[in-house]
Amino acid sequence: MRKTVAVALALVFGFGLLWHGTDGFRAFTSETARRLAILQEPKPLPAVQLEDQNGRTFSWQDQRGQWVLATFIYTRCGDVCRLLR
């Protein structure tokens, strides 16, 4: 009887830890947990000027309500880029 109670308590405790550690069984990786956190509390985009493929500048606020695909690349690199060649 004691063994059964101990096993039951261990299972309940284990499931409780798993539930807590996975955000209610929703996030089994740290990346999924990060995405859930962003969905719950989105971070504001910084106020920056972006440039499109035609050289026109715009801001994130100009694109509100539209889908935007953005890639951030280095156009100049004076130090580590030489080492990466």
Side-chain angles (χ1 to χ4, degrees):
M1 170 96 169
R2 265 190 207 169
K3 200 180 236 187
T4 306
V5 172
V7 169
L9 284 175
L11 285 173
V12 168
F13 184 71
F15 275 113
L17 278 176
L18 185 61
W19 181 84
H20 179 70
T22 60
D23 289 330
F25 301 117
R26 296 182 304 158
F28 290 95
T29 65
S30 59
E31 176 62 18
T32 307
R34 185 189 69 80
R35 289 178 185 206
L36 285 173
I38 289 172
L39 285 173
Q40 290 171 355
E41 292 183 34
K43 306 246 188 274
L45 293 173
V48 296
Q49 287 293 328
L50 304 168
E51 185 175 313
D52 68 9
Q53 66 273 15
N54 298 318
R56 294 182 300 234
T57 59
F58 63 95
S59 69
W60 290 122
Q61 289 74 25
D62 297 337
Q63 306 304 313
R64 185 162 284 183
Q66 300 177 17
W67 286 92
V68 177
L69 177 63
T71 301
F72 295 92
I73 59 171
Y74 290 105
T75 56
R76 291 191 186 115
C77 184
D79 49 14
V80 296
C81 295
R82 291 185 210 129
L83 301 173
L84 296 175
R85 290 186 204 175

